[in-house]
Amino acid sequence: MKYLNKKLALIIMLSSILWSSNSVMADTNNESNLIIQAENGDKIAQYSLANLLLSQNVNKKYDDKIFYWYQQSAQQGYAEAQFALAIIYEEKDNNEQAIIWLEKAAKQNHVQSQYSLGVNYRFGFWGVKLDHSKALYWLTKAAKQGYTAAQVELGNLYLTSSENTDYKKGINWYKKAAESNNPFAQLNLGIIEKAQSNYKIALLWFERACKNNLTDGCQLASEMIAKKQQ
């Protein structure tokens, strides 16, 4: 399908999560408090301090201090920091370490890590070998937590995979994501309904995708309305 998740979309999604400051205010007093807590071994403070330092870095580069505090937090088992460390290692082209930390976070039910692992194993990103069963396992774990990107990718997998095609499951995962207002799921459902000549239902899904600012949904909805008026 046209709307399979690609590496660029994955990296953008992961980077946007990393670069959020996690509600840490970038002021001097707060930074001083975080440093004290971080130096005393508080894993959440260590992670928050790394986020704060990153938010203050104009070039959004991972300098030694940022890496150090993410690493300290990750080594104490904090899943958010493990996920962040995985992203840093991947950007440094150290895929082996990236996958190690991603798996540590995923095993703690960190949903973005589960989704990322699923996508990596599905498409062979981050230096891993294609592995359908692992992709299915991790995407399912994330999808069951209500993560709509995973639900859409799981729908894609069930509808396009030659190893485990299951039309009913694929549609069900699209519907779960669409009901949570994921525009790509709405768009894909519209395309499927249109292919089956269910034009009214297709138009409804395209219009919902359009309301969620998906340009292709607006275009397809307009084309269907124009054709109907001819």
Side-chain angles (χ1 to χ4, degrees):
M1 278 203 168
K2 181 179 178 181
Y3 298 97
L4 294 176
N5 291 295
K6 301 300 182 186
K7 185 175 184 181
L8 178 59
L10 175 64
I11 294 300
I12 291 172
M13 182 278 295
L14 298 180
S15 297
S16 67
I17 293 168
L18 257 186
W19 291 351
S20 68
S21 64
N22 197 36
S23 300
V24 176
M25 297 299 292
D27 59 81
T28 304
N29 289 335
N30 189 58
E31 183 173 349
S32 297
N33 290 334
L34 282 176
I35 290 172
I36 292 170
Q37 295 172 39
E39 289 177 345
N40 286 332
D42 186 319
K43 62 185 179 184
I44 298 176
Q46 292 167 344
Y47 170 72
S48 298
L49 179 58
N51 282 341
L52 179 57
L53 293 173
L54 180 59
S55 72
Q56 295 172 345
N57 191 312
V58 176
N59 297 318
K60 293 294 185 292
K61 296 289 180 67
Y62 302 109
D63 63 23
D64 291 343
K65 284 186 179 180
I66 294 169
F67 179 82
Y68 173 79
W69 287 118
Y70 278 136
Q71 186 179 51
Q72 291 298 302
S73 180
Q75 288 174 344
Q76 290 196 73
Y78 192 52
E80 293 285 354
Q82 292 171 340
F83 177 64
L85 201 57
I87 303 305
I88 294 173
Y89 273 120
E90 194 279 333
E91 292 190 359
K92 291 178 178 291
D93 294 322
N94 189 336
N95 290 322
E96 184 178 353
Q97 282 297 315
I99 292 298
I100 287 173
W101 286 106
L102 203 59
E103 288 182 341
K104 286 179 183 292
K107 288 175 181 177
Q108 293 193 71
N109 230 26
H110 187 269
V111 69
Q112 290 96 343
S113 295
Q114 293 171 340
Y115 168 69
S116 179
L117 274 178
V119 171
N120 289 339
Y121 280 118
R122 185 165 185 222
F123 296 108
F125 298 154
W126 291 25
V128 301
K129 292 182 180 179
L130 293 174
D131 191 317
H132 175 85
S133 61
K134 286 185 178 180
L136 181 62
Y137 174 79
W138 287 115
L139 287 173
T140 301
K141 294 277 282 187
K144 286 183 175 180
Q145 289 198 68
Y147 197 61
T148 59
Q151 291 171 342
V152 173
E153 196 59 67
L154 201 53
N156 292 336
L157 188 153
Y158 277 121
L159 290 176
T160 63
S161 173
S162 59
E163 296 181 46
N164 197 15
T165 303
D166 191 319
Y167 181 83
K168 185 176 180 180
K169 285 185 178 180
I171 295 299
N172 284 341
W173 282 115
Y174 278 160
K175 286 182 177 178
K176 285 182 182 293
E179 288 163 2
S180 295
N181 235 18
N182 183 289
F184 294 101
Q186 293 164 346
L187 186 67
N188 282 350
L189 284 172
I191 292 171
I192 290 168
E193 295 292 350
K194 184 181 178 184
Q196 296 175 344
S197 301
N198 297 324
Y199 298 118
K200 287 185 178 180
I201 299 175
L203 180 58
L204 287 173
W205 284 122
F206 289 149
E207 288 177 335
R208 287 185 66 177
C210 181
K211 287 179 181 178
N212 284 311
N213 301 313
L214 192 59
T215 303
D216 284 357
C218 299
Q219 182 179 341
L220 289 169
S222 297
E223 290 174 359
M224 289 191 71
I225 292 170
K227 188 174 182 180
K228 186 178 179 180
Q229 293 174 342
Q230 289 178 353

